[in-house]
Amino acid sequence: QMSVTPPDQRRFLAEFVGWWRPVHVSQGTADSPRKAILRWAGDAGGEKDRRELESDELLIKQDVPYSEAYQGSVSSRFCLVPRGKSAWSSRFFRVLFAGCVPVLLNDYYEPPFEAFLNVPEWLIKWPMRRVDDGLLNFLRSLFVRTLQSMLERLKRDRCWYVWPPSALDYEQIDLQKGKLDAACPEWRTQNAFFGVMRLLNRKRRRSKTSFGTFYVPAGSSGRAHYVDENFEPVLK
């Protein structure tokens, strides 16, 4: 269930709970966005040293239990999702249900389902090599009503990122008992599986062997002529 604490009542401006990770060598020698975030928590020690910051505006921690990490997300107006060392981010999906506006700090990450979801309506994508006080100043400048509008749109789309377990999985029993109904009332038809199928359906093509294709000999050569059920050509 998404946290119901409104953004203007949240303690922190932004949060990040995670480890320092360098960017991949193919992306140059610039600092990792995670390193830039952790720099706000102090300049002493090496990049990999444990750093924590809990100020009036920022919550930054490393290596804490999942429950504590989630408490940071539900207590913040913005959740930072920086580039790590992998091509995907479980954090991106987790914070969608924390009631914070996600801030993506990864130039190379394409959020799933942008083909049919208006992701920029609820996601901020900021250059990952510009993680500095300019980012914080921008986040401070956003009106509360802007955040509320973004969160409403996020609530509309978030369940497309829920992947229901297999019918053979024990957790399917909990789903049928209504485990997801409060957070995702339409989860049976609005989920990641249906999202993937929706994208694949767009790529479907009519082939010589598809159900809607028929063929008859044409002309004196007798070459096959491919038509649909209305005898309109489907292949040249």
Side-chain angles (χ1 to χ4, degrees):
Q1 175 76 334
M2 180 182 280
S3 172
V4 295
T5 306
D8 59 329
Q9 296 180 22
R10 297 194 167 208
R11 177 181 175 185
F12 302 108
L13 172 71
E15 66 84 37
F16 169 70
V17 176
W19 283 101
W20 175 86
R21 293 288 186 268
V23 296
H24 193 272
V25 293
S26 65
Q27 296 169 8
T29 57
D31 283 348
S32 159
R34 291 179 178 234
K35 180 179 179 181
I37 293 171
L38 293 174
R39 191 177 292 124
W40 288 329
D43 293 321
E47 292 88 346
K48 300 180 182 180
D49 288 351
R50 182 186 179 93
R51 300 182 184 181
E52 291 190 1
L53 171 66
E54 191 169 325
S55 67
D56 292 337
E57 281 196 314
L58 298 176
L59 176 69
I60 300 173
K61 292 193 175 185
Q62 297 184 77
D63 192 26
V64 297
Y66 174 83
S67 58
E68 186 175 342
Y70 191 71
Q71 282 301 312
S73 299
V74 300
S75 302
S76 304
R77 296 193 289 279
F78 300 94
C79 291
L80 306 179
V81 186
R83 166 81 192 199
K85 64 178 181 180
S86 62
W88 63 284
S89 170
S90 61
R91 177 177 174 79
F92 173 80
F93 303 106
R94 174 173 61 79
V95 301
L96 299 183
F97 290 84
C100 55
V101 174
V103 181
L104 183 63
L105 306 172
N106 187 343
D107 300 355
Y108 305 96
Y109 185 75
E110 298 181 16
F113 305 145
E114 284 186 306
F116 64 88
L117 296 180
N118 196 344
V119 173
E121 286 189 339
W122 48 262
L123 174 69
I124 297 172
K125 186 176 182 181
W126 189 270
M128 70 181 193
R129 294 180 177 86
R130 299 291 298 275
V131 179
D132 50 28
D133 288 344
L135 169 60
L136 296 181
N137 289 334
F138 175 78
L139 298 180
R140 294 185 189 109
S141 72
L142 293 177
F143 294 110
V144 172
R145 63 177 179 271
T146 301
L147 272 63
Q148 291 171 332
S149 178
M150 295 181 73
L151 290 173
E152 283 300 314
R153 294 164 182 163
L154 172 56
K155 185 177 179 180
R156 175 197 67 198
D157 292 345
R158 60 182 178 169
C159 294
W160 283 106
Y161 299 100
V162 173
W163 198 281
S166 164
L168 301 178
D169 195 304
Y170 183 78
E171 290 188 1
Q172 182 67 223
I173 299 176
D174 291 333
L175 289 186
Q176 297 304 328
K177 290 181 178 179
K179 180 180 179 180
L180 261 180
D181 289 357
C184 299
E186 306 297 327
W187 68 267
R188 292 169 180 81
T189 56
Q190 187 186 81
N191 58 59
F193 176 79
F194 274 82
V196 170
M197 295 305 294
R198 189 167 175 174
L199 294 180
L200 292 177
N201 186 58
R202 294 185 176 195
K203 299 177 180 295
R204 185 181 63 179
R205 67 184 180 88
R206 306 193 72 173
S207 69
K208 297 178 181 180
T209 56
S210 68
F211 294 154
T213 302
F214 306 89
Y215 30 91
V216 295
S220 59
S221 66
R223 290 188 61 183
H225 186 53
Y226 298 94
V227 297
D228 60 17
E229 61 183 3
N230 296 315
F231 296 98
E232 295 293 332
V234 295
L235 290 174
K236 295 182 179 181

